[in-house]
Amino acid sequence: MIDYQSHLNPAQWEAVRTVDGPVLVLAGAGSGKTRTIVYRLAYMTQQGVPPQRILLLTFTRKAAQEMLHRAGQLMGHGPAALHGVQGGTFHAFAYSVLRRTPPPGFPDRCTLMDRSDAETVMREIKSTAGLGKGDRSFPKTGTILDHYSKARNKELPLDEVVKQESFHLIPYAGAMQQLCDAYAVFRREKGLLDYDDLLFGLESLFRHDPETLARCRERFSHVMVDEYQDTNLVQDRLVTLLVGTGEPGSMGGNVMAVGDDAQSIYAFRGANISNILTFPDRHHGTRLIKLEQNYRSTQPILDLTNAILSQAQAQFRKQLFSDRTDGPVPRLVRPLSDRTQAQIVCEEIIRQCAAYGPEQVAVLFRAGYHSYHLEVALNRAGVRFRKYGGLKYTEAAHIKDAMAYLRVAVNPADMPSMHRILAQVEGIGPKTAASLFNALMAGDAKTVAKLTKKHPQAADMLALLDRLRAAPPRPVPLLEQILEFYQPILERLHPDDHPRRRTGLEELVQIAAGYEDAGQFLADLHLENPEQPEAEGGPAVCLSTIHSAKGLEWRAVHIIDLVEDRFPSRQALLKAEDFEEERRLLYVACTRARDELSLYVPTSIYKRGQNISEPATASPFLREMGVHVFEEWREGYNGMLSKWGGMAREPGSTPAAPAKAQASPPWQPSAAVPKAPPPVSQAAQPAPGDLGWCRHKVFGRGKLVQHLPPDKYRVNFPSFGLKVILAEYLEREE
């Protein structure tokens, strides 16, 4: 017999043994949610509930399989112990019913389409209707299907979704609706179900076929739903149809919903937080159980996460706590700019990799492009990383396109880049591109003239490349010319999402602002960061959007760009529900940390178009917190980090013992600066106490901070942070 109480805390044990009636388990981050479900599966079976009468609904098949496997091992009989339990996704459950009884309006026999099938059908409908013919800006088939799916899952009109997410496609909203209506008719006539039809088809079947609903209710006496905060409206209605709600004064069906309203961050997919918040109101007699003991993070980190949630408007109140009461207080770091932020984070990562291993360090951000500066810094420092939730910026097609122009400007013999540029010309294929390139390299003016006459846009491209080659090799002015030329090409090649891609290109120019030489910029940008599987390439630091990091954990976590317009995003400031979801997103990010948590608030953000750095406003979520939940550190003009009201340290230096020991300050102080260091590049010796400024061929102008005998200097470069450089490579400013 399993000794449940010795392996579960009191709240978990209560959730496990509450088998009958509706139960809502609020599982805070790191509170042992999966363990609770696993033990409850075993407990129900041992209490006589037949496995075949249990339905376990999850959001991934892998999650269900893992839970059933662990429950079987717990019972000592392996997977066979729970043979008969139906565990899987909502969609898999729906298909298991619909393959025997199709939804109303469909033929007796239906087949399930995958995404490729759906695109083929939509493409055929589009061709038959003659919509978008000759219009290169017309939305692609995949884009139409994506918006249609979002509209269905959010249960909003299609034109509303287009307005919210793709304003540049508003002129095509009517045509998109026409195609989607025809697509729906085609599916019904041909007996084809797409992914979303499974849920809506099952709901329609349950509502129009009481016998099928009764059979399902009879078969599944106990329903368990994981991650309930991520359910959309139709999934919530399906659960209600399966178990009933009970009448006021009586108990509803045997359903356990497990989730955390504070981790509801997928509204863009259709998830609706009201499903979990109103669960007790709709399922009469619901027993509410809170799992608040955290097994992941230290108490100082939890104090900060609790402070984040304390200001939430609609929530189930809970207070996470941990037996791990020691540990460093979370750090709130204020770099001088978003550019120096990258260098500070990079140096902290180097320290933590030595302490914990690279696989235990993560940097989280709101949007994929926020990590661009850091990717450059990590590449330059030789730190291996893997990125999740968005491409590495150098892998995106539009970034590669723009960089190809710059590469050819630096090296006219760069054949792959020239081919990439010429491929942007309509009518030029690989053979023509190769012929034109070979003619250019051979000085064959006759062939060049012939081909450019046939393809005038190629002539314009070659003229641009000549202008780039004749200009000073400073990357920002060169990229500005490139982007002006590339903009109409971008809109033609990527009509569906060119505004988003333009943002990435603007960020690329911002990165280039820290360079004086295009060749060095290209070298730093294209230093390869190996992306082999972990078994081959070894462990790596994780860079991830917060959405992609949910469910994961690391010993050290950095969260960057915590300023208004970036976190929360500008769009989220317009609607209260979006603003609150951003708050939950920050909570999810912070609760990924086990031992160390660092929050970064750049003091200024560089505005490329105005060539200035503007003051940045800290995220409102940080402004709401009490200062007692973090230590504040600020970057000085000398490149050193100083604790607000404390002493300075260098980024990346080793922290002292945790605060509990009181043996030393949380950061080691930097070494004193010698008053009379040797000269730089044969220059006159500086005045005592003033090391002055210098220039470096790669990093540009920098402030001399410290002499490192016998022949090195520590220099703070505004765009790169602190660097240790040999004196012979520095030129003092007079």
Side-chain angles (χ1 to χ4, degrees):
M1 192 69 178
I2 301 171
D3 183 4
Y4 291 95
Q5 295 187 57
S6 65
H7 294 89
L8 302 168
N9 65 41
Q12 290 172 333
W13 172 227
E14 181 184 2
V16 165
R17 70 175 187 268
T18 305
V19 174
D20 297 324
V23 184
L24 176 58
V25 178
L26 295 173
S31 62
K33 168 181 69 74
T34 300
R35 167 183 285 262
T36 301
I37 295 174
V38 166
Y39 274 78
R40 191 174 192 264
L41 285 167
Y43 183 83
M44 285 196 298
T45 304
Q46 291 188 338
Q47 293 300 306
V49 178
Q52 61 271 20
R53 301 201 67 191
I54 300 173
L55 175 62
L56 172 63
L57 295 173
T58 61
F59 277 83
T60 65
R61 182 174 62 177
K62 181 180 178 182
Q65 290 175 337
E66 179 187 351
M67 291 173 184
L68 293 172
H69 179 73
R70 286 176 56 180
Q73 287 186 321
L74 183 64
M75 298 175 68
H77 303 296
L82 291 168
H83 180 70
V85 172
Q86 183 162 342
T89 65
F90 276 89
H91 293 83
F93 167 68
Y95 183 63
S96 70
V97 177
L98 294 177
R99 67 182 178 182
R100 293 188 295 269
T101 311
F106 280 77
D108 290 341
R109 292 190 177 184
C110 292
T111 55
L112 181 62
M113 296 190 296
D114 61 16
R115 174 61 182 229
S116 176
D117 297 330
E119 290 191 6
T120 299
V121 170
M122 180 62 82
R123 198 175 295 115
E124 177 64 26
I125 292 171
K126 182 178 172 184
S127 175
T128 302
L131 291 173
K133 207 168 189 179
D135 184 354
R136 293 187 176 275
S137 296
F138 196 86
K140 296 178 182 177
T141 300
T143 300
I144 297 171
L145 286 172
D146 288 341
H147 284 76
Y148 181 49
S149 180
K150 284 187 178 182
R152 297 177 76 189
N153 281 284
K154 292 184 175 184
E155 301 189 21
L156 292 173
L158 179 64
D159 63 343
E160 183 66 26
V161 173
V162 173
K163 289 177 185 177
Q164 291 178 3
E165 303 191 11
S166 305
F167 63 90
H168 59 291
L169 297 180
I170 290 175
Y172 299 105
M176 293 169 68
Q177 183 66 64
Q178 182 181 339
L179 290 173
C180 292
D181 291 343
Y183 174 67
V185 172
F186 185 94
R187 297 196 319 276
R188 286 194 298 271
E189 290 178 347
K190 305 300 183 183
L192 299 172
L193 299 171
D194 67 12
Y195 197 61
D196 296 322
D197 282 328
L198 295 175
L199 300 184
F200 290 101
L202 182 61
E203 180 188 22
S204 179
L205 178 63
F206 280 170
R207 293 192 184 282
H208 292 88
D209 187 347
E211 292 184 4
T212 298
L213 176 59
R215 285 197 300 271
C216 286
R217 285 184 172 181
E218 175 63 26
R219 178 181 173 186
F220 299 112
S221 62
H222 291 76
V223 178
M224 301 170 67
V225 187
D226 188 25
E227 303 285 15
Y228 208 84
Q229 78 280 351
D230 293 337
T231 56
N232 60 21
L233 293 172
V234 67
Q235 288 167 331
D236 179 67
R237 293 196 298 269
L238 284 173
V239 171
T240 301
L241 285 167
L242 271 172
V243 303
T245 60
E247 299 298 327
S250 64
M251 186 176 292
N254 299 326
V255 55
M256 184 176 85
V258 183
D260 183 6
D261 56 298
Q263 296 188 69
S264 179
I265 60 173
Y266 294 116
F268 66 94
R269 295 180 186 169
N272 195 311
I273 191 175
S274 67
N275 290 345
I276 190 169
L277 291 176
T278 62
F279 186 92
D281 300 329
R282 291 176 291 104
H283 296 268
H284 302 294
T286 294
R287 187 166 183 173
L288 183 64
I289 301 171
K290 298 180 182 180
L291 305 184
E292 298 173 291
Q293 184 170 356
N294 180 284
Y295 295 93
R296 175 187 301 150
S297 307
T298 63
Q299 191 60 48
I301 292 174
L302 297 180
D303 289 340
L304 184 142
T305 61
N306 288 333
I308 294 172
L309 290 185
S310 66
Q311 302 296 322
Q313 297 302 306
Q315 63 168 315
F316 289 107
R317 298 286 174 181
K318 52 185 172 296
Q319 196 78 2
L320 298 182
F321 65 92
S322 172
D323 289 338
R324 299 179 61 202
T325 56
D326 293 339
V329 174
R331 296 179 293 277
L332 189 147
V333 183
R334 293 185 183 270
L336 288 175
S337 72
D338 52 339
R339 292 186 283 179
T340 61
Q341 169 186 248
Q343 190 60 35
I344 292 173
V345 175
C346 179
E347 295 185 15
E348 289 296 303
I349 286 173
I350 292 171
R351 172 185 68 81
Q352 291 168 338
C353 285
Y356 306 133
E359 74 281 1
Q360 288 297 332
V361 182
V363 182
L364 306 182
F365 32 84
R366 177 66 183 84
Y369 73 89
H370 290 171
S371 68
Y372 288 176
H373 289 286
L374 180 59
E375 291 176 47
V376 172
L378 292 174
N379 270 331
R380 198 162 50 226
V383 177
R384 182 188 301 275
F385 67 87
R386 295 188 179 89
K387 185 176 180 181
Y388 302 90
L391 291 172
K392 284 178 60 183
Y393 59 90
T394 52
E395 294 174 347
H398 55 292
I399 300 293
K400 286 185 174 181
D401 285 350
M403 294 306 296
Y405 290 88
L406 192 60
R407 290 168 67 98
V408 172
V410 173
N411 175 17
D414 187 334
M415 181 266 290
S417 295
M418 182 63 84
H419 280 208
R420 187 174 191 95
I421 292 170
L422 294 173
Q424 298 167 17
V425 179
E426 296 181 79
I428 289 187
K431 289 185 178 180
T432 304
S435 298
L436 182 52
F437 176 77
N438 291 334
L440 289 167
M441 292 298 99
D444 184 353
K446 184 177 180 180
T447 301
V448 172
K450 177 183 176 182
L451 291 174
T452 52
K453 182 178 180 180
K454 185 177 180 181
H455 303 284
Q457 191 181 3
D460 294 339
M461 287 179 170
L462 295 180
L464 170 67
L465 291 172
D466 283 337
R467 293 195 299 273
L468 296 177
R469 291 172 58 201
R474 295 177 56 231
V476 169
L478 297 180
L479 282 171
E480 286 176 338
Q481 292 186 63
I482 291 168
L483 295 194
E484 182 180 358
F485 182 86
Y486 181 67
Q487 181 62 29
I489 299 173
L490 177 72
E491 294 178 6
R492 173 172 57 83
L493 295 178
H494 306 284
D496 301 329
D497 61 351
H498 62 82
R500 178 186 64 82
R501 292 176 186 263
R502 177 71 190 196
T503 300
L505 290 168
E506 293 286 344
E507 192 73 15
L508 183 68
V509 182
Q510 184 172 326
I511 294 172
Y515 292 80
E516 292 295 322
D517 180 74
Q520 185 61 48
F521 172 60
L522 287 170
D524 280 354
L525 206 63
H526 292 90
L527 284 172
E528 286 300 319
N529 188 289
E531 295 293 327
Q532 299 98 332
E534 189 162 317
E536 298 178 18
V541 171
C542 176
L543 307 187
S544 177
T545 60
I546 300 169
H547 286 100
S548 297
K550 187 172 180 289
L552 304 176
E553 61 182 66
W554 298 270
R555 293 193 65 180
V557 170
H558 304 264
I559 307 173
I560 61 175
D561 279 351
L562 286 164
V563 294
E564 283 188 2
D565 288 352
R566 294 196 175 187
F567 203 148
S569 64
R570 181 173 302 176
Q571 292 81 4
L573 295 172
L574 303 177
K575 296 175 63 178
E577 56 267 33
D578 294 343
F579 182 79
E580 287 302 311
E581 179 157 314
E582 295 282 303
R583 183 196 307 280
R584 298 192 294 270
L585 198 61
L586 179 59
Y587 167 81
V588 168
C590 292
T591 53
R592 302 309 96 198
R594 291 166 54 194
D595 300 317
E596 288 192 52
L597 174 63
S598 299
L599 313 174
Y600 293 84
V601 184
T603 307
S604 64
I605 299 294
Y606 179 72
K607 301 292 184 181
R608 186 192 66 80
Q610 305 167 33
N611 197 28
I612 60 172
S613 289
E614 290 188 346
T617 303
S619 169
F621 307 130
L622 300 181
R623 302 201 303 269
E624 293 171 348
M625 292 184 197
V627 295
H628 64 284
V629 297
F630 54 73
E631 291 180 348
E632 184 170 343
W633 293 79
R634 299 193 178 189
E635 180 189 15
Y637 290 108
N638 62 355
M640 311 291 274
L641 289 182
S642 297
K643 184 178 178 182
W644 198 237
M647 60 177 59
R649 74 169 181 91
E650 299 171 21
S653 62
T654 305
K660 180 185 177 185
Q662 299 296 320
S664 62
W667 300 100
Q668 297 291 343
S670 61
V673 179
K675 291 193 177 291
V680 176
S681 246
Q682 310 303 317
Q685 184 167 312
D690 179 16
L691 299 185
W693 290 78
C694 66
R695 294 195 70 83
H696 184 268
K697 287 184 178 180
V698 173
F699 303 119
R701 189 169 185 262
K703 175 72 173 175
L704 290 163
V705 174
Q706 181 184 5
H707 170 236
L708 303 174
D711 59 353
K712 296 178 183 177
Y713 280 82
R714 178 170 281 109
V715 187
N716 184 35
F717 297 98
S719 297
F720 298 94
L722 287 172
K723 297 287 182 184
V724 175
I725 308 284
L726 284 168
E728 62 185 285
Y729 292 107
L730 299 173
E731 180 181 351
R732 176 176 295 283
E733 289 189 350
E734 298 297 338

